[in-house]
Amino acid sequence: MKQTYVLLVGIFLIGTSAILMKPDNQARNQKRILDVEQLAVSDVLLMLGDDTLIHHVQQVDPQKVKVGEDLVLNGFTERDGKKTKRISTHFVCTDCHNLKREFDDITSDDPADRLKYAKANDIPFLPASTFWGIYNRTSFYNKDYVKKYGDLVVNARDSLDNATQVCAKYCSSGRYLEQWELDAVMQYFKSLELRVKDLGLDATTLKSLRNIGKLSSSEKDKVIAKIKGAYIHKYDATFLETLPREERKYGEGGDPENGELIYEESCMYCHGSARLTYLSLGKNKLDARMFWYNKDSYRDQSLYQIVRHGTYSKPGRRQYMPLYTEEKMSDVQLNDLMAYLKQLAEK
Ligand code: HEC
Ligand code: HEC
């Protein structure tokens, strides 16, 4: 009798502990899964034995990340209770660069995909590439940027530090960063780097990552290749000439809805209420007619000209408009924009 009692209590205890253990185990497993997915991509690559990035940040310092964020968002920070010297009086980095993901598929650089993502996520559609994941890229100012900036970009091609300096001084019409500022910006870029969860890796690769310690070196190489194939390492930049008059479609067959989106999320991002320039652009007939009446020309007021060439910074008038490369606005999108402006102009 007593024995049966002990046995029953025993079974009861084992049973309840099994029930109690189960969710606990599940939670622990879940946590392990989440942990791998939360890891920064550059850290995982290092763990797998890949080469160190040139701009590798040894130790993340949250205070420096914050300083870097201030510099990127506002152009200055506070030190000893005082505002530091602005990087530029004309621009902040986020006038041209987003801080968020810009594509569903982050191996793509197709402007149609980028516009679709901008629409779905309500983010601006800007002439420069996003800082999200810039830490994971290895080549900058690619392809045709050498035509605009010449020797300046040669040293910036494979150095994120130098690329940042070129942009702080030239794209921003500002100045070079001091070393502490540059360090802080790199820390901030590190905080915006890709995480494993962003890569959409298959279950086998994720499983390998969870058992990273047990992988042979050839297995590690395979995982490195999988990871590196899951995101873009550089954004190409193709400069296009102003479309010759005889090739302009003036909105014919274009999609005005896309065009409206480009007008709002790109042109008006800078020109709305004359935020960055004397030229104020809004969704009204008058502004649309300015583009319509200039549609045949090769002047700055022609949509075809301004999008492909932007304007240049001059002494006394340092703010300028960056050009859109083919990767940042396709000719199809340009025609969509024209289709919208034509509609708005009631022509
Ligand atoms: C007026 C517009 C503008 C401003 C302001 C600006 N940039 Fe840029 N930046 C560009 C353009 C255009 C490129 C060309 C390459 C690209 O991003 O696609 C670029 C490229 C870069 C690149 C190389 C990116 C790549 O993938 O090739 C870095 C790094 C960069 N900028 C950092 C900065 C920082 C930091 C600031 C603020 C201090 C800044 N930029 C301000 C327009 C701008
Ligand atoms: C990153 C900010 C920015 C974006 C995005 C931008 N612009 Fe500009 N744009 C400028 C600046 C700055 C100028 C120079 C004007 C000045 O000196 O104030 C300019 C100049 C122009 C001019 C020439 C004005 C003149 O009288 O010479 C036109 C036209 C123009 N932009 C149209 C557009 C259109 C259309 C778009 C969208 C496809 C666009 N801009 C996107 C900043 C921008």
Side-chain angles (χ1 to χ4, degrees):
M1 179 68 191
K2 202 176 171 194
Q3 267 170 347
T4 334
Y5 179 68
V6 170
L7 194 68
L8 277 176
V9 168
I11 289 171
F12 177 73
L13 281 179
I14 291 168
T16 35
S17 58
I19 290 164
L20 286 176
M21 281 293 291
K22 209 168 166 232
D24 197 39
N25 267 340
Q26 257 172 5
R28 216 180 307 142
N29 268 336
Q30 200 98 40
K31 190 159 177 297
R32 247 176 53 212
I33 293 169
L34 284 179
D35 281 349
V36 176
E37 302 241 7
Q38 289 305 331
L39 287 178
V41 166
S42 73
D43 294 340
V44 171
L45 287 171
L46 278 180
M47 283 156 70
L48 289 162
D50 194 38
D51 294 338
T52 313
L53 289 163
I54 301 176
H55 51 263
H56 176 64
V57 169
Q58 194 76 40
Q59 186 137 36
V60 179
D61 174 343
Q63 252 168 332
K64 286 189 182 165
V65 171
K66 176 72 180 66
V67 171
E69 184 181 32
D70 285 348
L71 294 173
V72 166
L73 266 60
N74 309 320
F76 63 88
T77 185
E78 283 201 7
R79 276 190 136 188
D80 312 323
K82 277 192 293 189
K83 282 186 183 172
T84 59
K85 192 169 167 257
R86 274 180 183 280
I87 298 171
S88 162
T89 48
H90 308 292
F91 293 108
V92 291
C93 311
T94 47
D95 288 331
C96 303
H97 296 272
N98 275 323
L99 305 173
K100 292 194 175 151
R101 183 180 187 128
E102 290 188 338
F103 290 90
D104 255 329
D105 169 4
I106 56 173
T107 62
S108 167
D109 67 353
D110 180 339
D113 292 347
R114 191 167 177 254
L115 188 63
K116 211 160 105 193
Y117 193 85
K119 183 179 185 184
N121 296 279
D122 196 19
I123 52 170
F125 185 70
L126 300 180
S129 312
T130 179
F131 287 159
W132 184 81
I134 198 169
Y135 188 86
N136 307 94
R137 290 187 286 225
T138 48
S139 183
F140 312 95
Y141 292 108
N142 295 296
K143 223 171 146 180
D144 291 342
Y145 269 108
V146 68
K147 291 185 190 161
K148 181 160 180 174
Y149 293 112
D151 285 350
L152 282 174
V153 297
V154 174
N155 291 328
R157 275 280 161 73
D158 44 33
S159 158
L160 182 57
D161 289 67
N162 293 349
T164 300
Q165 291 290 37
V166 169
C167 223
K169 185 159 168 69
Y170 295 96
C171 314
S172 310
S173 301
R175 61 170 172 85
Y176 287 128
L177 303 179
E178 290 178 31
Q179 193 59 47
W180 66 270
E181 292 175 309
L182 188 57
D183 290 345
V185 170
M186 289 304 135
Q187 288 265 348
Y188 179 57
F189 284 165
K190 165 99 180 134
S191 79
L192 298 180
E193 85 159 298
L194 306 179
R195 309 254 147 205
V196 170
K197 68 176 161 54
D198 300 319
L199 304 181
L201 296 173
D202 57 78
T204 323
T205 309
L206 285 174
K207 197 170 159 209
S208 304
L209 283 179
R210 271 179 223 119
N211 298 299
I212 211 163
K214 294 185 198 138
L215 301 181
S216 68
S217 67
S218 74
E219 282 168 331
K220 282 185 183 166
D221 287 347
K222 265 190 217 149
V223 177
I224 291 177
K226 273 271 195 227
I227 291 177
K228 288 193 168 177
Y231 62 91
I232 206 156
H233 296 256
K234 62 173 186 160
Y235 284 115
D236 266 344
T238 312
F239 288 12
L240 294 181
E241 253 321 310
T242 305
L243 211 58
R245 208 171 277 147
E246 58 280 10
E247 287 177 32
R248 300 180 188 179
K249 293 198 211 136
Y250 302 118
E252 194 67 47
D255 175 350
E257 241 180 79
N258 260 355
E260 182 175 11
L261 190 65
I262 295 170
Y263 193 62
E264 269 179 26
E265 295 294 351
S266 213
C267 314
M268 283 177 61
Y269 182 72
C270 293
H271 288 277
S273 315
R275 189 172 73 87
L276 286 175
T277 141
Y278 69 84
L279 177 66
S280 175
L281 291 177
K283 294 167 86 169
N284 60 67
K285 191 158 81 178
L286 208 67
D287 290 345
R289 287 196 169 172
M290 194 258 302
F291 288 108
W292 186 253
Y293 293 135
N294 283 292
K295 67 185 186 314
D296 294 318
S297 86
Y298 289 83
R299 296 191 302 148
D300 280 356
Q301 290 73 25
S302 153
L303 199 60
Y304 296 98
Q305 176 76 17
I306 194 77
V307 163
R308 294 304 174 211
H309 290 273
T311 64
Y312 279 78
S313 177
K314 320 181 240 309
R317 187 89 196 144
R318 287 269 161 225
Q319 54 273 67
Y320 72 100
M321 175 169 153
L323 60 83
Y324 288 80
T325 59
E326 186 177 20
E327 290 78 4
K328 297 298 187 261
M329 195 181 310
S330 64
D331 278 338
V332 170
Q333 289 172 331
L334 186 51
N335 191 48
D336 291 348
L337 180 54
M338 202 65 207
Y340 170 66
L341 291 170
K342 180 180 176 189
Q343 201 178 66
L344 191 62
E346 295 173 15
K347 287 290 167 183

